[in-house]
Amino acid sequence: MNAFSTHPDQAFRVRELHELLGMPTDDPAMNVTLSCLGRLARQVFLTRPGRGLCQKRA
């Protein structure tokens, strides 16, 4: 959530988030992040402006 708070108007892909935060970019790690982002979107913290993109809700 810190990355979204720092860049509130920017939509991120999972790979971009991992690179920004210095996390590994292998498929299993990105799948875990993708499921967490989906959960945050369902809980109305994030929006999905496009396929594979997540952005902080305004």
Side-chain angles (χ1 to χ4, degrees), residues 12-13 48-54:
F12 290 101
R13 295 193 181 281
R48 296 231 167 161
R51 184 179 173 129
L53 295 172
C54 287

Side-chain angles (χ1 to χ4, degrees), residues 16-47:
E16 294 169 347
L17 276 175
H18 274 244
E19 291 171 353
L20 180 70
L21 299 173
M23 297 171 65
T25 56
D26 59 340
D27 285 338
M30 291 194 327
N31 285 337
V32 170
T33 303
L34 185 61
S35 67
C36 289
L37 291 175
R39 194 171 328 123
L40 289 171
R42 285 189 301 275
Q43 293 174 353
V44 195
F45 292 110
L46 300 176
T47 61

Side-chain angles (χ1 to χ4, degrees), residues 1-20:
M1 287 303 295
N2 288 337
F4 290 108
S5 295
T6 305
H7 308 283
D9 296 332
Q10 184 176 354
F12 290 101
R13 295 193 181 281
V14 174
R15 182 173 299 275
E16 294 169 347
L17 276 175
H18 274 244
E19 291 171 353
L20 180 70

